[in-house]
Amino acid sequence: MKFTSLLLLSCACALPASAVNLMLDFGNPATNSVVADPYLTLSPAHSVGAIPGTQTSWNTITTSSDRTDLIYANGNSASTLTLDLGQESTGGNGTIDFGTGIGNLTLAGTGGGASGQQSLLGTGSIYGTNTSSTAATRDGFFGSGAATTTGAAIGMRLDGLAAGDYVAYVMARNTNTSTASYPMNIYSSVAGTSTSFAFSSLAAAVQANPGYTTAAYAGQFTSFVLGDNYQKINFTIAEGQSFFLAVDGGNDAIDRRGFLNMVQVVSVPEPSSLLLGALGLLCLRRRR
């Protein structure tokens, strides 16, 4: 009995390692903007405490080419992970083809300049202060084709995640315009690796992306609001499975192209790890 108690105490006093988190900034290769101070923690996952403020390592994604050199948010190598990007080979066909490169990699994130409409950029904005900001939320990628006729959805596949539970925080918006609400439909799935992702039959998580007239604006762009300016997707990975994500324009009369600014993948600790962490903290307090 004494041995068992000592073993449990030893385990409890060994705090679990920090969660493995991944941050992807779909940047603008025209400016090759790398997320830097003061924008390192300007993200939905940081704002809700899902990623600690000490984890600030972003992956800057500037092409559709496979990425095998990713790093975790804590700066450690994520060599087991592979990121692949693609878009619909024909706009509106409902299938992401990972052999078709994303058509537009230069969403600058100008904030929009429509008369009478509030710019997305400004003091305290979640999209950054101005067009010189390096915020991951500002620029991004979007699909090829004409906005309301042949526009294409875009997507990603992430391979190599360890089995477990995760949450994906996604921001998807055309940050070049402030004219009106600009909704995006975000689809996700978990399955064996594949060269395509058929998403049209899946239920979408809608990011509303509301716009505001200058007269109606009351600081709405200065905080992260679930469903308005970001979405949160829970998923569970089994060994060998991939995580798929697709973004499609939510209103064909406005824009059927998919836009993607940033994605954060956060691992969810198992209940036993949370318990050990709580017991470990208690143990440390008692030692002090």
Side-chain angles (χ1 to χ4, degrees), residues 11 17 41 59 68 98 100 108 112 121 132 157 195 204 208 220 238 257 276-277 286:
C11 290
T41 60
N59 293 279
T68 59
F98 293 107
T100 301
L121 302 177
S132 296
R157 187 189 75 229
T195 57
Q220 290 92 342
R257 299 171 298 180
L276 285 177
R286 285 182 174 176

Side-chain angles (χ1 to χ4, degrees), residues 113-140:
S115 177
Q117 291 288 134
Q118 181 67 29
S119 172
L120 273 62
L121 302 177
T123 303
S125 171
I126 62 170
Y127 303 103
T129 301
N130 52 46
T131 55
S132 296
S133 79
T134 61
T137 55
R138 180 177 67 85
D139 50 13

Side-chain angles (χ1 to χ4, degrees), residues 73-101:
N74 61 9
N76 293 338
S77 171
S79 58
T80 62
L81 303 184
T82 299
L83 175 70
D84 200 359
L85 300 172
Q87 68 168 37
E88 291 174 318
S89 56
T90 301
N93 71 3
T95 298
I96 300 297
D97 176 11
F98 293 107
T100 301

